[in-house]
Amino acid sequence: MMNEKTEQNTENLINKINEDIKKELSEKRYNHSVGVMKKAEELALIYGLDVNKAKLVGLAHDIGKELTREEKLNYVEKNNIEIDEIEKINVGLLHAKIGADICKKRYGFDEEMQDAIKYHTTGNENMSLLAKIIFVADKIEENRKYEKNESKKQAVEEARKLAKEDLDKAMLYLIDESLIYTIQKKELIHADSIAVRNKLIK
Ligand SMILES: [Fe+2]
Ligand SMILES: [Fe+2]
């Protein structure tokens, strides 16, 4: 159980992250981050997860997203972050690993929280409940409206419904949606997305 002191610490940390991302992210991505925090809180309550962790990770998950390509490459080099073949080409993916590292150093996020940030874009075979909640919340938070794309709009509504009933089903649905999209765009698929999909099906 959370005592009063931990509650106070969490609130202070949420305020700090909120201030930082307000400065470091665009208004659109800031609103998305707050949306993910809210959706992660909602899912944490449904699935019996520590609400504070879910909120903190949800709010901070895209903290590395708006670094330029060059800044991302510099960051991984300076901070000894290993990068794989796909990330070398699709540098944008690195915002997940970078975000986890920033949150460890700035806010003292534990391993589980760091992993949830690392895996929020591609998914991963070894996802905790927290990681799954962040992955799903990222894709279905309230600002994802897709008003100009009827099929995406329907898909996000379906995923929102699934998320309340069965988190793994929602994950599988969202992974499939993103794989289809990636294939249509003729982009590279990260092996972790295939691995997590196979695990969810097995
Ligand atoms: Fe992201
Ligand atoms: Fe995000």
Side-chain angles (χ1 to χ4, degrees), residues 32 61-62 120 138 144:
H32 162 67
H61 80 285
D62 267 342
H120 85 267
D138 181 39
R144 297 224 190 243

Side-chain angles (χ1 to χ4, degrees), residues 94-126:
L94 282 174
H95 84 278
K97 283 183 180 171
I98 292 171
D101 194 70
I102 293 174
C103 288
K104 174 174 91 177
K105 288 169 181 161
R106 266 197 215 166
Y107 313 125
F109 277 18
D110 66 22
E111 292 277 335
E112 186 195 14
M113 294 161 87
Q114 291 169 46
D115 283 349
I117 297 180
K118 272 186 212 164
Y119 304 152
H120 85 267
T121 308
T122 57
N124 185 279
E125 240 180 327
N126 304 306

